[in-house]
Amino acid sequence: MPAPLLEIETHSEVPAHADCVVIGGGIVGVCTAYWLARAGQDVVLLEKGRIGAEQSSRNWGWCRQQNRDARELPLSTQSLSLWEDMGADIGADLGFRRCGLLYLSNDPAEIEGWAEWGRFARGEGVDTRMLDTREATARGAATGQNWQGGVWSPSDGIADPSRAAPLIATGIMAHGGRVIQGCAARGLETEGGAVSGVITERGTIRTPVAVMAGGAWAGSFLHRHGIGFAQAAVRSTILSLAPGAEDLPAALHTGPVSVTRRGDGGHTLAVSGLANLDITPGAIAGARHFLPMFASRWRALRPGGLQAWRAGVETRSHRAFDRETPMERCRILDPRPSKRLIHLTLERARALLPALRDLPVQGQWAGYIDSTPDGVPVIDADIGTPGLVMAAGLSGHGFGIGPGVGHLVADMVLGRTPITETRQYRLGRFGRGQWGKVADF
């Protein structure tokens, strides 16, 4: 059963010209195109399948500052306000609300790690509150357990993965932008080494600027144009339970399992960090870049299979631009979830929260997280081809920080003062100086 997703009607005709073409209709792509359209740009958003149908509708829905890597924290903070701004401008409910995020633990080392992060974050203006045993047990009353400690981040929140990206796409169109579903970008045309057009399966759009926001497909597209970008296809598994459980925290994280209230009143269940690493040609080619991450997370990552390889993710094949691409043969990545993780997640959630014990499973799915070697995204307008900007490798954080990433990319395209520092997001950081600096999340 795939993740639920709102369907929207979009344009069908591919225009001859545009100020900018954004490739990829996930949360980063729609937010980028939205901010460009809102600034008056003639922007076209291309999506090979449906808007938001891949990882952007398959995540937890968390929009958090809590426990962010320092390099991502500024974007996280900006994004919370931008979620509110976008919802008000579009006039639609994106499901965003600052419900607060609750973290509970009985592990003294984990609690001290949260406290250490909190001492740093409060200096950056983040409202993060450590909970003692009494406070943690009270806030976690739905578990019926005593807790040694925890964290409460009241200004953080959640949005609705089933609605957010499609509704933001309607905002693009309301501001005069064009959104085209079912249309894959095959490559770029260049003149004098700079972008001059985007070649699609339906014809070429003349444009001086292209934004690659293709998620798990970004590496293969960039490789086709001689740009190296190491990605790993991390397959996460999630399930949802039917509505019926009341008085649970809206967003709860514990070591065994995390639980989030869905827009329909049901709950999303997942185990943080546990995932399958599926083999792809790109991951093999960039394996040396990932050694520090694998070394730090070997307990959580499990060897995967060949699902991503067969779908064409991270392919290194070269083909003429008039030939069908793997993106056209696989319009929507819909990998099989891990049965082992489904069983484990459900067992842990029902043990943690008695209110969930009798509720039926209403959905289960998997999605591909496009991960970088350090767990921090690449957002860069200087990657070797003038006019080509990339925003990819969101490493499982893209949904929450999507509004900020999109705004930052729009800043780059328009030559505006960026909303955050950009140095930490450069593609060129994956040299010797940055090797081994893996994010904690």
Side-chain angles (χ1 to χ4, degrees), residues 170-317:
T170 68
I172 298 168
M173 295 184 286
H175 283 290
R178 187 175 291 268
V179 179
I180 305 173
Q181 299 181 101
C183 182
R186 290 178 170 176
L188 303 174
E189 282 190 348
T190 60
E191 292 180 4
V195 171
S196 61
V198 173
I199 304 165
T200 83
E201 61 180 292
R202 302 185 200 167
T204 298
I205 305 172
R206 301 290 295 177
T207 183
V209 181
V211 177
M212 168 39 59
W217 300 94
S220 58
F221 186 96
L222 293 169
H223 178 77
R224 179 67 180 80
H225 294 280
I227 299 169
F229 175 46
Q231 280 182 298
V234 178
R235 176 163 44 94
S236 64
T237 292
I238 289 181
L239 68 147
S240 66
L241 298 184
E246 304 297 333
D247 301 322
L248 301 186
L252 169 65
H253 167 78
T254 69
V257 69
S258 296
V259 180
T260 311
R261 182 176 291 276
R262 297 181 60 81
D264 65 359
H267 289 83
T268 295
L269 315 179
V271 179
S272 180
L274 287 188
N276 296 97
L277 181 64
D278 283 358
I279 301 169
T280 65
I284 293 173
R288 65 181 180 85
H289 295 287
F290 285 93
L291 291 177
M293 178 175 285
F294 295 158
S296 66
R297 300 184 185 164
W298 64 271
R299 291 182 179 86
L301 289 175
R302 296 288 187 273
L306 296 175
Q307 293 188 63
W309 190 302
R310 294 187 182 116
V313 175
E314 285 292 290
T315 179
R316 289 300 186 260
S317 63

Side-chain angles (χ1 to χ4, degrees), residues 120-135:
F120 149 73
R122 282 186 287 275
E124 302 296 315
V126 177
D127 187 359
T128 175
R129 308 175 189 181
M130 292 301 299
L131 305 176
D132 61 21
T133 298
R134 180 185 61 81
E135 294 168 328

Side-chain angles (χ1 to χ4, degrees), residues 81-97:
S81 297
L82 294 176
W83 273 107
E84 294 170 328
D85 184 325
M86 294 168 70
D89 174 68
I90 295 168
D93 182 10
L94 307 180
F96 177 75
R97 52 196 177 102

Side-chain angles (χ1 to χ4, degrees), residues 4-10 24-34 45 47 50-59 83 86 90 92-96 159-173 179 181 398-399 402-403:
L5 179 64
L6 176 70
E7 292 191 36
I8 60 170
E9 292 187 4
T10 57
I27 193 70
V28 170
V30 296
C31 288
T32 297
Y34 167 82
L45 175 66
E47 167 51 46
R50 288 174 55 197
I51 296 294
E54 295 187 341
Q55 186 59 18
S56 293
S57 59
R58 297 164 186 260
N59 58 82
W83 273 107
M86 294 168 70
I90 295 168
D93 182 10
L94 307 180
F96 177 75
D160 189 344
S162 71
R163 295 170 55 82
L167 289 176
I168 295 168
T170 68
I172 298 168
M173 295 184 286
V179 179
Q181 299 181 101
F399 185 78

